[in-house]
Amino acid sequence: MEKKVALKDVAQHIGVSVALVSYVLNGKEKEARVGADMANKIRKAAAELNYQPNLIAKSLKMGKTKTIGLIVADISNPFFSTIARIVEDEAKKHGYVVIFGSSDESAEKQLDLIDVFSTRLVDAFIIAPASGTEKQIETIVKRGIPVVLMDRFFPGLKVDCVHINNFNAAGKAVKQLIKNNRKRIGMVAYDTMQSHMQDRKQGYKAALKENSIRFKKQWLVEASYQNIEKDVAAKLKALLKPLQVDALFFATNSLAVAGLKEINKLGIKVPDDLAIISFDESDAFDFFYSPVTYVSQSLVDIGKEAVKLILNRLHNKSKKNADVIVEARLIVRESCGSKL
Amino acid sequence: MEKKVALKDVAQHIGVSVALVSYVLNGKEKEARVGADMANKIRKAAAELNYQPNLIAKSLKMGKTKTIGLIVADISNPFFSTIARIVEDEAKKHGYVVIFGSSDESAEKQLDLIDVFSTRLVDAFIIAPASGTEKQIETIVKRGIPVVLMDRFFPGLKVDCVHINNFNAAGKAVKQLIKNNRKRIGMVAYDTMQSHMQDRKQGYKAALKENSIRFKKQWLVEASYQNIEKDVAAKLKALLKPLQVDALFFATNSLAVAGLKEINKLGIKVPDDLAIISFDESDAFDFFYSPVTYVSQSLVDIGKEAVKLILNRLHNKSKKNADVIVEARLIVRESCGSKL
């Protein structure tokens, strides 16, 4: 094992003082009036010896680690891994690295991650908060650590957030189904109080009402995040055998993928027997025999805006809390029964 | 903004010495003979005041950051995000957090990530190495930082690695196609010298030879990672219009998803006109009208074994280099033309 190369080693290698090396490698050669030749010589020696600055020691002095803690529901879900990739790229442009963690929508796991990341002095958090974690976010804010919520938020909590208008997006999807002559429209959602899910359910109900369709309780199928496959299969079977709806609106891509498997199993034909619209994207939607219509959230915008808000906070540029609404579009394809 | 709570604040709050508080909060109350009552009082005060230990300061003293740097080709690719999730869970069990980065299969980007992670003193690396980065890995090893390669490796380089037997897995897939009476079998791969891709190509050619099928140069379609959609579309069109093969073996899920889109566009029927087998999984494979046969790598095993190897190194338990071969199974479904 080679010993880690220190400033001292670089200094000894060319016979100059440690202070001189430190000035040059920290970009302060002008202040210290080090000549260009000497500066180049020092840099060359540092590269040859494979000198690596110790950012941790620097962090302690400056109180900054240049690290962002990213907490999502599940990094293996394409929705979050795509956002993670964008956050990574944006953070890197500004010299930050990203630590990530998955909460599995559990308040306890989320708290655990916040604690672990805090002990590592992350400079800021980007969080898709689990249900009932308002106090956790409040505590981060009180500690003065910049935090941005994404995908979900807590009404009344003063914190930066970035998300789509879920009420409107859901309404748009349901109205498309109504336009295509569907009158008994069901919805498959998660049984959670999170803002994004509540807004999607309210948007669904409001669109029905606006079109004089009376919502029936049994049309709303709710699955638990921890038990998605089983819940969706059992509850959809009850709704679809016999067929009590002529359209289904899925609140997420995971719910839709689980639902489409059950729909195939039951031999129900999309869109003739049952029109389909989902939230979010999935490779599965492109390859389903009737390509699936979906609400496309701009993940690029969510990731970019989240990092932008964090940087504004870190540089003390913003005082008021920002509530950034990102675009969502309905991508209309065969599954919703439209004539294309 | 609240001030960060220090050991001193906890000590002042209950009127004891900083040393006493430090002993208790570092779990050394027995060594210091602090009574249980006092220890509880100190812990309670720390919790009330929301004291957070500064792990960064601790890291500097101990030379450990309890951080693993994970470098993959692209965190938004489900193959890597699923492994990332498993690495995260396994690392967490042992008190480690994970920093991640995406190399986009570029040696330059990978070096950049290694440098950035090194300045943050990660304790270890898990890397799916980009092509031509043998020297980069060698440098990490020379610095005495534990590193595990996954998915790919460099023959001759003494470093721990975990991967499947790509030669055998590819052979198995191709033999399945031959068993199903296919005689003109093409392959879609990346144009890279990486071990996993070379082994898959060699396994494909060896299986043809073993069955007295003479490989034709035009059967091997090679796409650039940086230009996958365009390359696959153009080159597959040349091979499939007119149809010069009766089966295709895709070397990764991304290649297959791009390829299936082109196959649909050309109106080719799977498996009647063209049998299909791919590497890796994808939701798309389940929803393609002819469910796709695939080589399933155990991502759970890859993630778990990688962390296990890292921990062994960190605890100096291993001296010899480990080469862990993880299981891969062929999941046979309609697309390969089998009678099911």
Side-chain angles (χ1 to χ4, degrees), chain B residues 6 44 130 157 213 216 258 280 282:
Chain B
K44 217 178 131 198
L157 186 63
I213 297 174
K216 287 192 181 153
D280 308 331
S282 163

Side-chain angles (χ1 to χ4, degrees), chain A residues 11 15 17 30 36 47 74 99 146 151 153 159 212 216 250 277 282 290:
Chain A
S17 76
K30 278 192 187 145
D74 180 2
I99 300 187
D151 194 34
F153 63 96
V159 57
S212 311
K216 288 192 179 151
F250 288 96
I277 295 185
S282 164
S290 174

Side-chain angles (χ1 to χ4, degrees), chain A residues 1-4 50 52-57 59-60 65-67 70 73-78 81-82 84-85 88-89 92 95-104 109 112-121 139 141-145 225 256-258 260-261 264 282-289, chain B residues 1-4 50 52-57 59-60 65-67 70 73-78 81-82 84-85 88-89 92 95-104 109 112-121 139 141-145 225 256-258 260-261 264 282-289:
Chain A
M1 166 172 169
E2 281 179 16
K3 216 179 131 270
K4 204 167 153 49
N50 210 344
Q52 293 277 335
N54 179 343
L55 254 199
I56 297 271
S59 310
L60 258 190
T65 57
K66 289 275 193 177
T67 306
L70 173 70
D74 180 2
I75 193 72
S76 73
N77 177 325
S81 65
T82 305
R85 178 62 210 262
E88 177 201 340
D89 288 347
K92 197 176 161 194
Y96 286 81
V97 296
V98 182
I99 300 187
F100 72 93
S102 308
S103 71
D104 290 323
K109 280 193 188 176
D112 196 35
L113 287 167
I114 291 174
D115 280 350
V116 168
F117 290 2
S118 294
T119 61
R120 276 160 181 85
L121 301 184
T139 304
V141 174
K142 275 194 191 155
R143 280 191 203 141
I145 303 171
Y225 181 87
V257 167
L260 290 174
K261 282 181 186 164
N264 275 347
S282 164
D283 274 338
F285 295 172
D286 298 337
F287 286 101
F288 190 65
Y289 61 87
Chain B
M1 168 175 168
E2 284 179 13
K3 213 180 132 267
K4 205 167 153 47
N50 211 344
Q52 292 277 337
N54 178 342
L55 253 199
I56 297 272
S59 310
L60 258 191
T65 56
K66 288 273 191 179
T67 305
L70 173 71
D74 181 1
I75 194 72
S76 74
N77 176 326
S81 64
T82 304
R85 178 63 210 259
E88 177 201 342
D89 289 348
K92 198 175 162 195
Y96 286 81
V97 296
V98 182
I99 300 187
F100 71 93
S102 307
S103 72
D104 290 325
K109 281 194 188 176
D112 197 34
L113 287 167
I114 291 174
D115 280 349
V116 168
F117 290 2
S118 295
T119 61
R120 276 157 181 86
L121 301 185
T139 304
V141 174
K142 275 193 191 157
R143 281 191 202 140
I145 303 171
Y225 181 87
V257 167
L260 290 174
K261 282 181 185 163
N264 275 347
S282 163
D283 274 338
F285 295 172
D286 298 337
F287 286 101
F288 190 65
Y289 62 88

Side-chain angles (χ1 to χ4, degrees), chain A residues 4-64:
Chain A
K4 204 167 153 49
V5 175
L7 280 183
K8 194 184 61 183
D9 302 312
V10 179
Q12 278 175 357
H13 188 71
I14 43 177
V16 298
S17 76
V18 174
L20 201 63
V21 174
S22 166
Y23 276 122
V24 171
L25 296 184
N26 286 308
K28 294 182 180 167
E29 64 264 35
K30 278 192 187 145
E31 290 169 42
R33 300 185 187 183
V34 183
D37 281 356
M38 177 55 82
N40 283 336
K41 197 172 161 189
I42 289 172
R43 281 208 189 86
K44 216 177 134 199
E48 272 170 23
L49 294 175
N50 210 344
Y51 167 77
Q52 293 277 335
N54 179 343
L55 254 199
I56 297 271
K58 238 184 210 168
S59 310
L60 258 190
K61 271 191 218 157
M62 318 195 343
K64 293 279 168 235

Side-chain angles (χ1 to χ4, degrees), chain B residues 192-205:
Chain B
T192 166
M193 292 306 291
Q194 288 165 303
S195 61
H196 69 310
M197 205 48 65
Q198 289 298 323
D199 287 351
R200 289 175 197 181
K201 289 181 209 171
Q202 293 309 323
Y204 154 74
K205 288 181 183 170

